[in-house]
């Protein structure tokens, strides 16, 4: 019997088996196992930059002058072979630290594991990847790099605290876009509890600069379903607004409102030229990962 791929397993079970870095490696290994693609080949005549030599690189493209003069082993990259630049933009506000069931990951824990897996996938194909963590302001900024030490920088940033009372998604997107020097990818992971107009305007600005914008809308299943229960007091984790309600009285209206909100997000981001995907915290990491990296889709990253 074939062994189950990690990217297809229950995310909470997988997270319980190892820490963030280990889970990311398992997910990427499983994802690559199920990925069928043709490798990029060929070099154009226009020189772009140097990068450190890595085992397996074609020795024809070593810069022997630098090797002889400075004892540094670097490879010439040309415009066709120069890889992508990507910025991961992770919402760490208070609402992201919620879960509707203790057996499930919080939205933030789910997004962290997905973002770390995506970062590792990009680094393995020698793309440059950076990270912005934000709530009301910028928490951490890791500029995009493709060298061997970048993975450790990203892992160190993921463990820093967040939890601010608000999330300024639009500003975080714009700041991330400034860190990508030429057209690349800006990937947002957020529960999108914010104004859609400002986020769409920011996405439109990034698209005008030539960037691909990918938005992963992270939700807990309880946010979609409004589960059964008795009279309760519901509190917004960011605004602290409290509303007493009986689920039976408001469930139908709530579900309609959620459907309308998701339709609105999909529409405004689509019109802004961004790619939108919805991910629930109880689904395996492989499905949203395929949406994010754009396998067989517009603006593919791999």
């Amino acid at each position: 019997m074939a062994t189950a791929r990690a990217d297809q397993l229950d995310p909470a079970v997988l997270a319980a088996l190892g820490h963030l870095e280990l889970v990311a490696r398992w997910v990427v290994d499983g994802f690559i196992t199920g990925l069928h693609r043709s490798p990029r080949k060929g070099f154009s005549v226009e020189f772009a930059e140097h990068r450190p030599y890595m085992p397996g690189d074609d020795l024809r493209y070593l810069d022997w002058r630098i090797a002889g003069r400075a004892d540094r082993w670097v490879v010439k990259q040309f415009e066709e072979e120069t890889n992508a630049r990507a910025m991961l933009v992770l919402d760490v506000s208070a609402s992201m630290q919620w879960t509707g069931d203790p057996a499930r990951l919080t939205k933030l824990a789910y997004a962290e594991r997905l973002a770390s897996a995506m970062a590792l996938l990009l680094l393995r194909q020698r793309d440059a990847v950076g990270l912005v963590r934000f709530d009301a302001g910028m928490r951490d900024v890791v500029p995009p790099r493709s060298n061997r030490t970048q993975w450790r920088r990203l892992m160190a940033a993921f463990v820093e605290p967040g939890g601010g009372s608000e999330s300024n998604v639009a500003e975080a997107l714009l700041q991330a876009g400034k860190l990508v020097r030429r057209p690349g990818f800006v990937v947002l992971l957020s529960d999108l509890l914010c104004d859609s107009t400002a986020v769409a305007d920011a996405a439109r600005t990034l698209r005008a600069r030539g960037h691909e914008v990918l938005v992963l809308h992270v939700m807990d299943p309880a946010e979609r379903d409004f589960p059964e229960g008795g009279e309760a007091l519901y509190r917004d984790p960011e605004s602290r607004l409290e509303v007493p309600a009986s689920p039976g009285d408001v469930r139908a209206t709530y579900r309609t409102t959620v459907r309308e909100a998701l339709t609105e997000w999909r529409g405004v981001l689509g019109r802004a030229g961004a790619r939108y995907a919805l991910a629930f915290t109880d689904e395996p990491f492989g499905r949203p990962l395929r949406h994010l990296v754009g396998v067989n889709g517009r603006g593919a990253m791999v």
Side-chain angles (χ1 to χ4, degrees):
M1 191 172 88
T3 303
R5 286 167 28 201
D7 62 316
Q8 297 178 336
L9 298 178
D10 179 272
V13 172
L14 188 61
L17 298 176
H19 52 76
L20 181 64
E21 181 177 353
L22 188 57
V23 169
R25 294 184 186 279
W26 287 340
V27 170
V28 169
D29 288 343
F31 180 78
I32 291 176
T33 297
L35 184 64
H36 300 287
R37 63 183 176 92
S38 299
R40 281 178 284 189
K41 296 180 180 179
F43 291 79
S44 74
V45 296
E46 185 177 354
F47 173 76
E49 63 183 8
H50 288 100
R51 64 166 172 78
Y53 169 80
M54 299 183 69
D57 284 337
D58 193 328
L59 295 180
R60 290 178 298 168
Y61 301 105
L62 273 175
D63 193 318
W64 296 103
R65 289 182 300 175
I66 291 180
R69 184 172 64 247
D71 196 26
R72 289 177 52 229
W73 296 86
V74 295
V75 175
K76 294 179 182 179
Q77 281 190 294
F78 298 84
E79 199 61 45
E80 184 178 324
E81 196 258 355
T82 301
N83 293 340
R85 267 76 173 164
M87 285 298 299
L88 305 178
V89 186
L90 178 63
D91 186 347
V92 297
S93 61
S95 65
M96 287 287 287
Q97 301 185 29
W98 184 82
T99 179
D101 186 338
R104 286 196 296 266
L105 295 176
T106 65
K107 290 182 284 185
L108 178 58
Y110 184 93
E112 285 175 336
R113 282 153 181 79
L114 187 59
S116 59
M118 190 172 184
L120 183 59
L121 180 64
L122 292 168
L123 289 171
R124 282 191 179 181
Q125 63 180 28
R126 298 170 186 163
D127 291 333
V129 58
L131 174 69
V132 167
R133 296 171 73 254
F134 73 96
D135 40 39
M138 300 300 106
R139 284 279 181 169
D140 300 280
V141 176
V142 181
R145 299 284 187 275
S146 59
N147 55 37
R148 297 181 182 181
T149 59
Q150 185 71 350
W151 175 241
R152 291 299 177 188
R153 292 193 192 99
L154 294 171
M155 289 299 99
F158 276 120
V159 302
E160 293 296 320
S165 60
E166 299 176 359
S167 55
N168 193 339
V169 179
E171 180 61 22
L173 282 174
L174 293 175
Q175 291 297 324
K178 293 177 182 178
L179 294 170
V180 185
R181 291 177 299 172
R182 61 175 181 268
F185 294 87
V186 178
V187 184
L188 172 66
L189 300 96
S190 172
D191 56 5
L192 296 179
L193 297 179
C194 58
D195 175 44
S196 62
T197 302
V199 177
D201 287 345
R204 192 173 291 108
T205 298
L206 294 178
R207 291 289 294 136
R209 296 174 185 169
H211 300 309
E212 284 285 340
V213 181
L214 301 86
V215 178
L216 182 76
H217 192 167
V218 182
M219 289 186 69
D220 187 282
E223 294 178 294
R224 171 195 59 197
D225 301 329
F226 205 93
E228 301 283 347
E231 187 77 21
L233 184 66
Y234 297 91
R235 176 184 298 142
D236 186 318
E238 296 187 0
S239 69
R240 298 299 178 183
L241 176 67
E242 295 182 344
V243 178
S246 171
D249 295 337
V250 301
R251 182 177 296 108
T253 302
Y254 174 86
R255 287 177 174 173
T256 299
T257 302
V258 169
R259 286 195 299 270
E260 291 174 349
L262 296 181
T263 299
E264 179 184 357
W265 274 113
R266 187 174 290 106
V268 298
L269 289 172
R271 289 189 292 274
R275 244 190 297 171
Y276 172 88
L278 180 63
F280 291 100
T281 57
D282 61 345
E283 69 178 3
F285 294 112
R287 194 198 70 84
L289 189 60
R290 288 188 69 84
H291 278 288
L292 282 176
V293 300
V295 177
N296 298 323
R298 175 176 62 85
M301 300 180 75
V302 296

